[in-house]
């Protein structure tokens, strides 16, 4: 890093022993991704087959911001566009922890997911962001007919954009 203090912090984080609990390891990886461009620890955790490793990493990256942690593209590829419904659901569960609007947009995309289980999680995440007076009028039902759902997804997007 260009900042000597950030470089010192990064060096101390890198020097910490391995074998940390997954949540702490994820936080370390996220901080390193911010302080040290090119550090691959976060990417490795996000790609992990073990959900006990990748979920804490996904949540930690969301809390700090996918763009800020330089993980937005990887998260899009590994979770939002994954062939695995579990990974898509994992994203929908935590994406709103990201302060950026893009997370909301990507979760809204999952309202049209082919898997009902993913749609249910995505709607559970987004419903609280739709103003209560509009929630019933958007008419979104994650297990309803496809034709009704497609139109409702657009109404949800409009409600999220606001007036």
């Amino acid at each position: 890093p260009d900042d000597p203090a950030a470089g010192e912090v990064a060096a101390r984080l890198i020097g910490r022993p391995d074998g940390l609990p997954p949540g702490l390891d994820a936080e370390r990886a996220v901080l390193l991704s911010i302080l040290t461009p090119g550090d691959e620890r976060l990417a490795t955790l996000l790609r992990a087959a073990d959900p006990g490793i990748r979920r804490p990493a996904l949540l930690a990256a969301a809390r700090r911001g996918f763009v800020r942690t330089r993980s937005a593209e990887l998260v899009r590829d590994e979770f939002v566009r994954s062939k695995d419904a579990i990974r898509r659901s994992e994203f929908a569960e935590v994406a709103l922890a990201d302060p950026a609007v893009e997370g909301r947009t990507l979760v809204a995309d999952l309202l049209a997911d082919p898997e009902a289980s993913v749609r249910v999680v995505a709607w559970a995440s987004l419903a609280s962001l739709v103003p209560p007076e509009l929630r019933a009028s958007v008419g979104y039902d994650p297990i309803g007919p496809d034709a009704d759902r497609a139109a409702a997804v657009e109404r949800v997007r409009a409600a999220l954009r606001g007036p």
Side-chain angles (χ1 to χ4, degrees):
D2 296 334
D3 179 355
E8 184 178 334
V9 170
R12 287 178 185 242
L13 287 171
I14 291 169
R16 300 295 301 170
D18 288 333
L20 294 172
L24 289 177
D25 198 26
E27 291 296 336
R28 173 175 64 172
V30 162
L31 292 173
L32 284 169
S33 72
I34 294 168
L35 296 171
T36 311
D39 187 272
E40 289 293 314
R41 291 169 201 261
L42 180 57
T44 299
L45 297 177
L46 290 169
R47 288 186 179 111
D50 181 349
I53 293 173
R54 73 173 179 258
R55 285 180 183 168
L58 184 63
L59 179 58
R63 285 181 181 149
R64 299 278 193 270
F66 295 122
V67 171
R68 185 173 180 219
T69 61
R70 298 173 180 85
S71 63
E73 187 175 324
L74 176 66
V75 167
R76 204 173 298 115
D77 293 343
E78 292 289 323
F79 292 90
V80 180
R81 295 179 184 153
S82 175
K83 292 179 182 178
D84 182 1
I86 292 171
R87 284 180 179 253
R88 295 191 309 273
S89 291
E90 289 171 349
F91 174 79
E93 288 173 355
V94 305
L96 299 185
D98 184 338
V101 173
E102 183 179 351
R104 281 187 236 162
T105 303
L106 293 173
V107 175
D109 290 346
L110 293 176
L111 293 174
D113 195 271
E115 292 287 330
S117 61
V118 175
R119 296 190 305 265
V120 167
V121 172
W123 180 237
S125 292
L126 285 176
S128 65
L129 298 179
V130 176
E133 65 275 9
L134 296 178
R135 215 170 289 146
S137 68
V138 297
Y140 181 78
D141 180 357
I143 56 174
D146 288 346
D148 295 344
R149 194 172 45 254
V153 168
E154 291 312 311
R155 290 191 297 272
V156 170
R157 288 182 191 281
L160 291 173
R161 284 192 295 272

